[in-house]
Amino acid sequence: MTGSPTESRPSKILKTQGHTDQDKEDKQLQDLSMSKNPRIQRYLVAIEYIGTRFSGSQQQPNCRTVVGVLEEAFHKFIGQPVSIFCSSRTDAGVHALSNVCHVDVERISKRKPGEVLPPHEPSVVRRAVNHFLQNEGDISVIDVRCVPNDFHARFKAQERTYFYRLVSGSEPLSTFEKERAWHVPEKLDLNAMQEACKVLVGHHDFSSFRAAGCQANSPIRTLDELHVCEVRATPYFPSITEREQNNSSLKDSHTCSVKPDVELPINSFSNTNDMVDTNNGKSNLEEFGIRRRHRSYVVTARARSFLYHQVRLLVGVLKCVGTGELTTSDVERILNAKTVTAASPMAPACGLYLGRVKYDLP
């Protein structure tokens, strides 16, 4: 199980190369998964989930998995077992804003067993499956589309985008952020992290960012984007100033309010130093009950495919650059070492989100 898709075939080392062995193997695997029954409809299904209570995405015995829960929901919907194939495998604790899978469904009448009916419309599939998922509380279908029977969710994927959330600050992590981000107590140097990204982006041998157990035949990957930026902390709620500005812009004479004695900062979280009176070191009693806000960062990684744990290993190195434990030169050294033992400790699963899987849909 991985926090990034594990490829079992070599990647394209030369972009100008024609039909490679990888393409041939993809075609063979697609042929094996292709339904030969013309009465069967293949659906492409996009799902979102919170990974905390899942033991990864792929089916495992005696474990709660994304595929297992989804297959059970489809079984309840259509009355027969199905097999679901994910575009990207995710580890236990890894979340998905949009993971994609495909499933073959033959619609058979429940009143007249053996009678084959026209396929369900995608909107019907989405509503029905979500109905059977509603008690799960941490997974739902966000989109469904009919695709040809040779369309494979994994091998037709052109690009995958992952996001990784870090929050920085000495205060304990907010309850709302637990299991949703990596809490780094130290301050992070954003500029240094951005410079390190420039070293890692592009076409490289990523052996130093490939965990043991990786099934890929080649460590060569093209990292199309590696980016880090600071973002607004969550959960976000507007301050008094923002609300007043919004009211003014709307010129709504019917909206009126009394300004409180103390203006609450954005999202009702105080900046790190807001709670201390610099004159006597005592807490500002007027801001009692307002949590100190962390600084929030997002690392974006985009590529056709990733090695086993590649994204989390990349983030681990970037975090160490941000805290000053490593320099840009150290990152170059780690990349050139071509061994995972040279890399920093891997980032935890809780901050990783599969953001998007891109296709050229028919």
Side-chain angles (χ1 to χ4, degrees):
M1 309 304 297
T2 75
S4 305
T6 302
E7 305 299 333
S8 59
R9 58 197 191 288
S11 66
K12 295 179 182 177
I13 296 180
L14 296 178
K15 294 183 180 179
T16 56
Q17 189 173 339
H19 295 289
T20 62
D21 292 338
Q22 173 185 352
D23 297 324
K24 294 177 182 178
E25 187 173 348
D26 284 0
K27 183 64 169 61
Q28 292 171 353
L29 290 169
Q30 285 178 237
D31 290 342
L32 288 174
S33 69
M34 181 176 174
S35 170
K36 305 300 182 182
N37 189 340
R39 302 181 301 181
I40 288 180
Q41 175 63 60
R42 177 164 292 188
Y43 295 97
L44 199 64
V45 182
I47 55 176
E48 63 179 8
Y49 51 87
I50 299 169
T52 308
R53 295 194 302 117
F54 287 107
S55 298
S57 60
Q58 295 302 100
Q59 187 74 273
Q60 300 178 58
N62 304 317
C63 291
R64 183 175 184 261
T65 65
V66 172
V67 165
V69 167
L70 201 56
E71 287 182 348
E72 183 179 354
F74 266 94
H75 191 174
K76 291 177 180 177
F77 168 39
I78 64 174
Q80 53 187 326
V82 299
S83 294
I84 288 176
F85 300 88
C86 275
S87 66
S88 308
R89 301 172 185 175
T90 56
D91 271 337
V94 175
H95 317 292
L97 304 176
S98 180
N99 198 349
V100 180
C101 55
H102 75 254
V103 58
D104 293 332
V105 174
E106 183 179 22
R107 186 185 177 193
I108 299 176
S109 174
K110 294 180 180 179
R111 295 182 178 179
K112 298 180 180 179
E115 180 182 353
V116 178
L117 302 175
H120 291 289
E121 290 294 321
S123 59
V124 173
V125 174
R126 178 183 176 182
R127 289 195 302 270
V129 175
N130 278 335
H131 169 75
F132 291 110
L133 290 174
Q134 60 184 338
N135 291 332
E136 299 293 337
D138 52 5
I139 180 172
S140 63
V141 174
I142 60 175
D143 209 352
V144 178
R145 180 164 181 164
C146 295
V147 292
N149 286 355
D150 63 347
F151 193 98
H152 196 289
R154 180 182 175 193
F155 301 124
K156 287 289 187 179
Q158 294 184 331
E159 187 177 85
R160 295 168 173 89
T161 301
Y162 282 88
F163 300 112
Y164 196 99
R165 298 186 62 241
L166 303 100
V167 292
S168 169
S170 58
E171 283 291 302
L173 192 62
S174 164
T175 301
F176 295 100
E177 292 281 25
K178 287 183 178 179
E179 305 299 337
R180 304 288 195 278
W182 183 12
H183 178 214
V184 179
E186 303 93 339
K187 291 183 178 180
L188 294 175
D189 185 337
L190 180 59
N191 291 333
M193 296 170 72
Q194 290 172 336
E195 287 301 311
C197 287
K198 296 176 183 178
V199 174
L200 296 166
V201 75
H203 194 65
H204 302 291
D205 180 334
F206 282 102
S207 294
S208 295
F209 300 92
R210 177 190 193 185
C214 181
Q215 298 175 2
N217 291 333
S218 170
I220 306 296
R221 289 294 183 271
T222 299
L223 190 56
D224 297 307
E225 179 183 3
L226 186 64
H227 176 264
V228 57
C229 62
E230 185 169 7
V231 298
R232 183 175 283 167
T234 58
Y236 168 78
F237 303 104
S239 67
I240 280 289
T241 301
E242 290 173 308
R243 298 199 299 271
E244 287 181 343
Q245 290 173 346
N246 184 60
N247 288 340
S248 298
S249 64
L250 293 174
K251 297 181 180 179
D252 187 355
S253 60
H254 298 289
T255 302
C256 59
S257 60
V258 178
K259 185 174 181 179
D261 294 334
V262 178
E263 178 180 336
L264 297 181
I266 293 174
N267 79 339
S268 294
F269 281 29
S270 169
N271 287 323
T272 304
N273 297 321
D274 285 348
M275 300 288 284
V276 178
D277 184 333
T278 55
N279 292 324
N280 54 27
K282 295 181 179 179
S283 296
N284 186 341
L285 296 180
E286 291 182 331
E287 294 191 354
F288 173 77
I290 301 175
R291 169 183 277 278
R292 297 184 187 180
R293 181 176 58 192
H294 293 94
R295 304 189 75 162
S296 185
Y297 303 87
V298 172
V299 176
T300 302
R302 179 169 54 86
R304 180 190 174 192
S305 63
F306 292 89
L307 300 168
Y308 183 41
H309 286 165
Q310 182 180 353
V311 177
R312 289 167 61 188
L313 285 163
L314 289 168
V315 173
V317 165
L318 291 178
K319 174 262 183 185
C320 288
V321 171
T323 58
E325 300 168 67
L326 295 175
T327 65
T328 301
S329 297
D330 291 325
V331 176
E332 293 179 353
R333 173 183 55 78
I334 291 170
L335 179 63
N336 293 329
K338 295 181 176 57
T339 173
V340 72
T341 57
S344 302
M346 183 170 63
C350 61
L352 185 61
Y353 296 73
L354 174 57
R356 185 193 180 197
V357 184
K358 182 181 177 182
Y359 297 94
D360 183 12
L361 291 173

